[in-house]
Amino acid sequence: MALVDVREIYRKFENIQALDGVSFTVEEGEIFGLLGPNGAGKTTLVRIITGVLRPNAGRVLIGGREISPATRDVRRIVGVVPQQITVYEDLTAWDNLLFWGRLYGLRGADLRSRIEELLVLVGLEARAKDRLVTYSGGMKRRLNLCMGLIHKPKVLILDEPTLGIDPQARLLLLDRVREIASTGTAVIYTTHYLEEAESICSRIAIIDHGRVLTMGSLAELLRQVRHKEIIKLHGAFDPERDGERFQAFPGFEIISLDDENVVLEPHERNGIPGILSTLLSEIPQIQGISVEKPTLESLFIQLTGRELRDQ
Amino acid sequence: MRIALEIARFEVMRVLRDTGAFFWIVAFPVIYASFFGMIQFTGSRSVSVGLCIADADSGFLARGLQSSLAKFSMELLDSTALAEYERRDGLTINEVALSDTLPSDCVRLLSIPAGFTDSLLHHNPVILHLTTGDEGAFMATITTQVMVWRAILENMAALIAASSDTSGGGLELQLEAQRARPQKVIVRSSFAGGVEQAPQGLSQTVPGTIVMMVLMILLTQGTATLVLERKQGLLLHISATPATRSEIIWGKLLGRYLTGGVQIVILWILMVAAQHLLGVWIGYRLIETVPLLAIYALAASGVGFFVAALVRSIDTAVGIGITVTLVMAALGGCWWPLEIVPRGMQIAGHAFPTAWAMDALHQLMAYNHGLGSVVPQMAILALYGIVFSAAASRVLRLT
């Protein structure tokens, strides 16, 4: 039985369908990546999985039991590291963890030893008694991870945990997430950094406009784009007028087109030189060309028509 | 419930560890109350007023006049002490009596001229000079004039009665005997409608400051803290723990109540210490103000939590917090007693919990009425707390 079972989740905010039938499962010890641009519905999904928001339809089972704002016991086995850094900056790391531990019912020596253990895990033991106003962004992120882990959760949900931190702190954090998963914790990791998803997730779901567009292991996803290079054109375009001009040429599909970029998917790999030659001679606005090999990003572009970084 | 208590405990701990908050919670109210208390009035229960006497006569009628003044709670500086001024300032007592100048250290001087007793005994007019150098203390000057007139009347009446006394023993002794007799006419004065004299000085500013500052802390610091927690996603994060929405709300509310309570306890201890250790009169029944202030903290935390539930930014929270506090303090009688404002303003002021709290504090501290007399005010304050807390818990959003 999967530790996390997300079944047909729908959620609407006024006229916006934030989640539109999302389903997936996560096993014990697995790191499951939710990859999507901002506004894709990842955070809404995280809120539903952590039990702070009710879906309009569908349900989330954690260890076979439904989670909701009313199910305190189920929430007790879930840990969350939110996108925002949620720490009390006027207090020390120790005081923050003390408070968070007490919310989960931890007390006394057990709580103290757990705090010490976590501070060592993230390398903050020497700064435990310093106020957080003296911490860097990366240090606060690491402390935020501790808050999600204080009660040894069976399911850990990380919502963009590396947002705004330096590469060194990011590598440290990713290492710790791998360690945590190796102990049997099921990890749901949302990100819009492709390389993070590629580096730590055993399975990935690409989500956009509230829907899972595709899902599988990295190898399975890359197989979908194995022979599909994409052509990226840079320049100054008029989406309406140039859209019609591009469509007049044979041999490719237009994936996306805006004022500065056009992304094309050739029908055949060996047709690329001919396409480039034609376009360069016929469309003078083109200032730059790149041909990209199949990657998770090209799959993402192919599926969504958008680049993750540009969101 | 345990989680709510944990959240409340954490709230109070955060406030106590904030050194900046200590200034606003304790130091500022003490400075504020002391400053405005001293400006307004002495704050003393008695109407004791200092008066120097320059007695150039020393006759028995002059002594009788001084004896009467001393009986009326005048703090007299007698002619013996005045002799010190004579030496120091280079003036004779007669010169002091006839001049308009005041000896140093004397703010009011009654000059009894030489021959005062003889003149009166021979039915000749006499002029007493009352000179004041304390223009700011208008009430004290008026009180002095009234007391001098009372003393003169008492002595003249006794002199007339003694003159017609045929029992012998000499006029001076007969005069003493007349003064010692019980008064035949006693005037009891009161304010119409059972209204009592409005409290002044520290009796007004100390309770007024406690009521205002507790509200200010809960409306500004308390509101801004909650808004910041919501903005930073802390409330949402807490709601992903086993804490339920109602536990979070009641924990936060209880935290605010206890913060107000801590402030009240500290200010109350300082108030009691000032009265009992330093001898500064603040008011009656200080012990009985404890349950009243505890209920007021409930009303203030309810109002503060309601405002926090409505506002979305810290700037708005602080702006609204200060504005609401100042309006409630001014109209609720924290700056001046509501007893002195027009009836319409008194009614308008009672739209706010501050007015009910000040009413009750005046009843206990200024008018020396028992706790039973403030039960209606306490009930209304409790109702404020319950209504505003319930409304806040409905409208508060954690995201």
Side-chain angles (χ1 to χ4, degrees), chain A residues 180-206:
Chain A
I180 292 156
S182 69
T183 63
T185 305
V187 177
I188 297 176
Y189 192 100
T190 84
T191 183
H192 66 266
Y193 293 117
L194 283 162
E195 62 273 27
E196 279 184 13
E198 285 174 344
S199 96
I200 68 163
C201 297
S202 43
R203 282 193 307 134
I204 297 165
I206 294 178

Side-chain angles (χ1 to χ4, degrees), chain B residues 87 123 168 203 217 221 243 274:
Chain B
R87 279 197 293 277
H123 309 288
S203 300
I217 291 295
Q221 194 258 357

